[in-house]
Amino acid sequence: MDKIKMTTPLVEMDGDEMTRILWKMIKDELLLPFIDLKTEYYDLGLEYRDETGDQVTVDSALAAKKYGVAVKCATITPNAARVKEYNLKEMYKSPNGTIRAILDGTVFRAPIVVKGIEPTVKTWKKPITIARHAYGDVYKASEMKIPGKGKAEIVYTAEDGTETRELIHEFDGPGIVQGMHNLNGSIDSFARSCFNYALETHQDLWFATKDTISKKYDHTFKDIFQDIYDADYKEKFEEAGIEYFYTLIDDAVARVIRSEGGYIWACKNYDGDVMSDMVATAFGSLAMMTSVLVAPDGTTEYEAAHGTVQRHYYKHLKGEETSTNSVATIFAWSGALRKRGKLDGIDELVSFADKLEKATIDTIEGGTMTKDLALITTLENVTTVNSEDFIKAIRATLEKML
């Protein structure tokens, strides 16, 4: 068969460790034999980020804004141990955080559901998509250890020098204090991304904060969402037959556990961080979780929700066999190719992305899978394969479809 032609490149962001190895296997086995692949390549491996002073991460995000669609491999966010291991010039920030800040995007994470990998929560029948506001809160907080007796205040100094103060606490001994912030503009972007994604995927949207306790901070999130919904999305939601639903975060958790799934759950930054891991694990595995960054201008970046699989990489370097699950990375590529195909009107590319995902799921449901899934599957007589053989098994299934 002739290779599928692309007209506009994807922005390709390569990554680190075992996921970088899988990245090349996926391209060689599942993409390049079938697609005349066009990408604008950026190496976000830690060594090259260090070489460029992390400018390559900024450049990749700007390229994503230019072309509209990007696909990203998992990357290392260095801690002190990594700085020493890689002899880095500095402890660079999270590439994901840098890209999210530039794109002003919202992260949508959803489990990949396959037969034989059953959710821990028995009522869940459909995927639950977590929409995480990827700005502010505790992740941009300033913190202080209070050594002893004294007064802690929040102070806002306006441009004209006028001060506004709020007492945090009168300390009578040692303690701790934290100052968080957010931006109305970022919350606005978060809300619009959530409403647009709900319309695009035809799913209900839930949103939850703790506005009864946080009457200014959390309540502002609630108010901005409601104002935007009423002004710009209420009629569109009603026409689409989908619902926007607000409740308190503790009520949302109780409702989620009792639900069948099949909706988007929008969360503030910390809630989304915690709940996305809970949902992923309850559905089976972090390696079976898609992650899509959607910006208000429509720029979309696809990635796996997991890390770089360091332990398997060290085994790989020793020449030992690994059985690493590549499903989330495959789905990052298929998601990006589908989006590119839709934007450029290339039906063949959209169809290929659909078939690649179905081939991946059919391979697992047919009993061929990596070790992590073999340990939790309810299927009988499964075949556990190594990293490369799993991808080759998917290729064999895909070729039959094509």
Side-chain angles (χ1 to χ4, degrees), residues 242-279:
I242 59 176
E243 179 186 15
Y244 169 60
F245 172 70
Y246 176 83
T247 189
L248 295 172
I249 186 65
D250 44 337
D251 180 52
V253 171
R255 287 172 179 266
V256 164
I257 295 300
R258 293 195 302 266
S259 76
E260 290 188 353
Y263 48 81
I264 300 165
W265 180 11
C267 296
K268 289 169 55 199
N269 207 348
Y270 181 80
D271 295 339
D273 191 359
V274 175
M275 295 305 173
S276 63
D277 280 7
M278 182 273 286
V279 167

Side-chain angles (χ1 to χ4, degrees), residues 368-383:
T368 300
M369 61 190 72
T370 47
K371 185 179 179 180
D372 62 315
L373 298 181
L375 290 172
I376 61 173
T377 187
T378 57
L379 298 176
E380 296 180 356
N381 302 317
V382 300
T383 302

